[in-house]
Amino acid sequence: AFQNGTVELKDALRGMNLNVLVGAYNGSYFNYDDETGIDAAYPGIAASLMDELAERAGFTWRSSFGIFTDPRGAAFNETWTDLLTWGVENYDMNVDWWASNAERLSLG
């Protein structure tokens, strides 16, 4: 709708539920527990920023998000770039910080 001019850019996400992938590893900026979910008292800066973006742009995200932990563990044996690539292919948004490097730049 934005591309054909029927919706302004500021309203492009209004009413949507975004599928968000969030880093929930030791040292991340997202306070999540498998049993209790997102920490209500201090959700972390990632959740706080997503909440603010969602409020301003009119979308939701808390009902449809996934978390990731450090991919280098024995259960995964993947790289951070593998995780980033998978996340981009399977989610609408990836909430974490990512360093730019030659390998990732070559992937597009």
Side-chain angles (χ1 to χ4, degrees):
F2 167 72
Q3 292 176 334
N4 67 18
T6 59
V7 173
E8 291 185 57
L9 180 60
K10 68 180 183 67
D11 295 320
L13 298 177
R14 190 158 309 283
M16 296 182 76
N17 182 51
L18 298 185
N19 298 308
V20 176
L21 182 62
V22 187
Y25 51 89
N26 187 22
S28 73
Y29 303 101
F30 185 65
N31 292 327
Y32 179 84
D33 181 82
D34 287 337
E35 293 181 19
T36 59
I38 300 172
D39 188 307
Y42 183 71
I45 190 70
S48 296
L49 287 171
M50 284 302 300
D51 289 342
E52 183 65 25
L53 287 170
E55 183 178 328
R56 291 181 185 203
F59 65 85
T60 59
W61 71 276
R62 283 186 174 233
S63 64
S64 182
F65 69 92
I67 63 166
F68 66 86
T69 58
D70 189 331
R72 299 168 294 181
F76 301 107
N77 196 27
E78 301 288 340
T79 67
W80 286 102
T81 299
D82 294 334
L83 177 60
L84 176 59
T85 302
W86 176 82
V88 167
E89 292 172 353
N90 291 283
Y91 287 84
D92 299 317
M93 184 181 290
N94 193 313
V95 180
D96 203 26
W97 67 277
W98 295 97
S100 179
N101 64 36
E103 178 187 10
R104 293 176 186 159
L105 291 172
S106 72
L107 295 172

